Amino acid sequence: MTPMNAYEKGSSLPLGNIILATIAAVVLVGVVWYVGGPRGTEPGKKTASSPKKIGSNERVRIEAGNSPSLGKSDAKVAIVAFADYQCPFCATLHFGAESAIMKEYVAKGKVKFTFKQYPFLGEESVRAAMASKCAEEQGKFWEYHGTLFERQMQSVGENIGVFSAENLTRIAGEVNLNEKMFTECLASGKHTQDVLDELEEGKQAGVENTPTMFINGKKTEGALSFEAYKVMIEEELNK
């Protein structure tokens, strides 16, 4: 695995950085093995569309826990979203219907929105998930989160270097994070268990594709239209 910081060609790497890079590589191998390996397309190709499904009437109890959330803690409607930063339809949802939900419902105190990691498309998904946790340490989760989806929309495939450690560190600089702290956090793998816990939580809740959102526990799959989510949200608000 490459070192966390950009270096001039031919320069030597400090021993500490070599150790951190080695630790990070071992951590990623272990996490990807747990996830089950890359399930996307061949490098350089986009995944097929995730199915668009409206959830059943069954409800799943999912707590926000320590996952990043926006909105009033006691809002009548709680939305929990599971996504992978390499998933193109997660990016579509983020900049489309989800953005409208934020303006129309979250900002007005009607909905609490929680994001949880579901990095199932390979090594770079896992690394990006960990990187977002490192950004969260510095109070910049949502800025970093949005920029990851911007990069995803500019990419042409999965696991082709878009979310390399170097690129993730560059993004950290773009959102004004302390790059040294970020680099050390990412290389240490300190948020490995946090990411795995959310992934397992999603599996237990029945997540099979990304994006998947639970609206007061009712499952929906795919990047639906704002109108579709609005119907479900209004239904919950009117109960």
Side-chain angles (χ1 to χ4, degrees), residues 117-194:
Q117 307 288 346
Y118 198 83
F120 75 114
L121 291 174
E123 178 180 327
E124 291 190 39
S125 297
V126 174
R127 188 186 292 119
M130 291 179 175
S132 72
K133 295 289 187 184
C134 291
E136 186 179 4
E137 280 192 2
Q138 297 188 44
K140 293 276 189 175
F141 172 82
W142 296 105
E143 295 91 334
Y144 196 88
H145 168 86
T147 306
L148 289 177
F149 279 130
E150 285 181 7
R151 293 295 188 275
Q152 198 289 317
M153 294 192 82
Q154 297 164 5
S155 72
V156 295
E158 301 160 5
N159 301 302
I160 56 173
V162 175
F163 293 141
S164 67
E166 291 86 354
N167 285 338
L168 292 171
T169 301
R170 289 189 188 99
I171 293 172
E174 290 174 21
V175 299
N176 298 316
L177 293 175
N178 180 309
E179 291 186 37
K180 183 176 184 297
M181 290 174 59
F182 175 88
T183 297
E184 291 174 352
C185 173
L186 183 60
S188 71
K190 64 188 292 186
H191 291 295
T192 303
Q193 194 59 50
D194 297 328

